[in-house]
Amino acid sequence: MHRFVSAAGRAAGRVPASLRGPIVHKAGEIEKELRKGIKKPFTEVIKANIGDAHAMGQRPITFLRQVVALCTYPNLLDSPSFPEDAKKRARRILQGCGGNSLGAYTASQGINCIREDVASYIERRDGGVPADPDNIYLTTGASDGITSILKILVSGGGKSRTGVMIPIPQYPLYSAVISELDAIQVNYYLDEENCWSLDVNELRRSLNEAKAYCNPKVLCIINPGNPTGQVQSRKCIEDVIHFAWEEKLFLLADEVYQDNVYSEGCQFHSFKKVLYEMGPEYSNNVELASFHSTSKGYMGECGYRGGYMEVLNLHPDIKGQLVKLLSVRLCPPVSGQAAMDIVVNPPVPGEESYSQFIKEKESVLNNLAKKAKLAEDMFNKVPGVHCNPLQGALYAFPRIFIPSKAIEEAKAHKMAPDMFYCMKLLEETGICVVPGSGFGQREGTYHFRMTILPQIDKLKILMEKMKDFHIKFLEKYA
Amino acid sequence: MHRFVSAAGRAAGRVPASLRGPIVHKAGEIEKELRKGIKKPFTEVIKANIGDAHAMGQRPITFLRQVVALCTYPNLLDSPSFPEDAKKRARRILQGCGGNSLGAYTASQGINCIREDVASYIERRDGGVPADPDNIYLTTGASDGITSILKILVSGGGKSRTGVMIPIPQYPLYSAVISELDAIQVNYYLDEENCWSLDVNELRRSLNEAKAYCNPKVLCIINPGNPTGQVQSRKCIEDVIHFAWEEKLFLLADEVYQDNVYSEGCQFHSFKKVLYEMGPEYSNNVELASFHSTSKGYMGECGYRGGYMEVLNLHPDIKGQLVKLLSVRLCPPVSGQAAMDIVVNPPVPGEESYSQFIKEKESVLNNLAKKAKLAEDMFNKVPGVHCNPLQGALYAFPRIFIPSKAIEEAKAHKMAPDMFYCMKLLEETGICVVPGSGFGQREGTYHFRMTILPQIDKLKILMEKMKDFHIKFLEKYA
């Protein structure tokens, strides 16, 4: 029964197979072979392909899990082994749930008291800039928020098809959703020579070219960058906001790595905060949606699929449509909403769990900072590899030199040269990383993305292996 | 900044506002007024609009919550207050998780061992008909599975646009997703005179008419029915399968109410089972996707957004596309996957938690059966109301007579007559139900959907109130 082959929907046919594509498939096969006892030059596959902290051995934040466990099984509220501050939060979350149960549907926009906590968090983070719980939408991870808002903004056909500007390199959710929605992907390139910074002249070039074939309406920014790890300066954010204001673009600020900033002199500035500080002409006019998640930061709770989106200057009609759209899927997972609450409402000084919480949080972040530096330094010692500083996020995105003989062989295998490189790396070392072609890169340049999540000793060994592999690769294809 | 009004996406503009539409909005407003102390003819709003068991006071199944709590906070595995059978399941689920944590991403298709448990469950349920874990996809509630499979199947433009056949009355997720995907909704009518049964002649009529303007490829069945509560006979399922085979239609079987069967002589038969029993010509050819969920049944865990989909005879290319599509959203919420595991792998005789589990399960189902009968009987005692037996699911969907004067007044308010009726009901009694126009109904007939989830004493009072309201309504508009 082959008749549905031709019926493949708009969506699936064009989904880029990067983060979970052929490399990950191959990694799975190799793992099966290892389990069967087949000999390899390595004993385990190291999955440095995806920002999945717990899978790489990071421990959950105790307080977060205590609160979610209390919400899950409220009998535990009587247990002396749980701290009072965790119980207090659990009781508050349960009071916000129908029938005091995580098993009830919530409002499509999310539980009221959690949206209030998100708003307070944003106000604290942004030095008092006001945040309105009505503008907060809890989501099923950040991906869901990004997808939903793009669904509302995308329209038109032919030359009036909506253009969505995204950075190159980008996180492939963007290209996938843009393709799924039949919108037009408009690329702007980050400047690798300048530490992957964003240049407004490049935004302008990209926009002006795009106007010839579509209707560019949305500008997506990822800060700190994924896969590129840069942290945008305040000045750069101002420039982007001014540009969006001038060109009447809707800004999507993907800020899921806001807690992951490592380089000295770098600091996270939210688009929302800078927008307000630029004055009412901007803060009353520029449309903005920003995103956060439970999956990254120091908590790494990917599996909970928790997240939120804050919108600003969204027209009430559009807001109404957004609520309707969200209501079809009923509500985001409630335990994910609870997890999000703890991210924005963690223990404070004076509370019983504060010291343990801070210890756990700082331990994760300090380790990540060390590993960011380690990865940069070690990559830059390898001939034919150049790696920008990992100012933030969870990834190294080094540029690799691939000899022309290897490029030819890749072509013979109908593979992108960096896919060929990463496949060889996987087969010879067990290290699984994602080729740059999955994220987009300037023609003729090659990269891969590697997470810095492996534990530090493992990361060192992994990088030594990569170095040896690379040198051998250069020799082989010299 | 109004420029995005015209840019409203395909999706949102056409989302039908039923389950969470104006009635629910009004209910929220009334609740606020009550809290402010504004006097009403009632003291609380009773939300009988949505199948949200916990919100109506149903208690979670203890065993399910124990396992999820253990998975959430594995320190509890050392606690003597949790039973061994719960710990055993929690350990097994955690072993299936990256880093033994609910916080890691899982495979996009869901955790392997849970998909194995789902397959075993299906085999037991279907008297030994084989089920393959590779054909099981864990989902974010059933809605997510239905949406995903429709995304893959829908394609084409103009006369070749995909037609999706759905029952009328239907669950409005279907119309919303069909509209969102720019597919064509092809209605077939359930037979109210015959207890909402499905007649293959009506399927044929509907299909033949649709062929003139689209390419009908998918046939959706909801069994037990939502909002109509009928349970399909085995014979009827056979007829539908034969029809799908003959017409080469892809079958979507929404079976989320499979545990909710109340009427004597009624029994749930899965499409999968009947398909196999009809022999290899059918079981090797008819394409089928069936859906289940943690949200309904006896557990009512809506907030976890857990579910699964089983596919059969899906072409490998389509399967590949499905996996790619799912991978963009990374994975279903992992605590929802864990909850789904307990639904398909509950305590068995001889295990410590068995007796409590069975007691809780049967108490919920017996109560629902009583309430199903009560609702049917009480509605049928009201003049101008007719209610078919509630053979299954969680809803009464009575037909109501609306006098022509009331219809005129509704029109003057630009409201559907049953929306007008339900608004009045809400304003005068605090009872929130959903008008039949949100689900679809034959021209000139009027209905509403009411859940049977309120506790039995409350349901009795509620139905007395409805009766009084209806009689007064008839008098007023006589």
Side-chain angles (χ1 to χ4, degrees), chain B residues 9-31:
Chain B
R10 282 191 297 280
R14 297 197 226 132
V15 172
S18 48
L19 298 192
R20 300 200 148 190
I23 288 270
V24 180
H25 185 78
K26 182 78 190 174
E29 280 179 5
I30 291 176
E31 280 183 324

Side-chain angles (χ1 to χ4, degrees), chain B residues 325-339:
Chain B
L325 176 69
L326 298 176
S327 76
V328 174
R329 308 297 140 76
L330 300 160
C331 69
V334 185
S335 41
Q337 296 186 41

Side-chain angles (χ1 to χ4, degrees), chain B residues 175-209:
Chain B
S175 48
V177 172
I178 290 168
S179 150
E180 202 178 313
L181 294 174
D182 249 342
I184 300 282
Q185 175 177 328
V186 176
N187 296 338
Y188 66 88
Y189 288 85
L190 300 175
D191 184 0
E192 183 165 15
E193 315 307 316
N194 283 297
C195 202
W196 297 114
S197 67
L198 194 167
D199 179 357
V200 172
N201 293 323
E202 167 59 10
L203 285 181
R204 187 159 286 121
R205 176 209 61 78
S206 160
L207 179 73
N208 288 340
E209 285 180 19

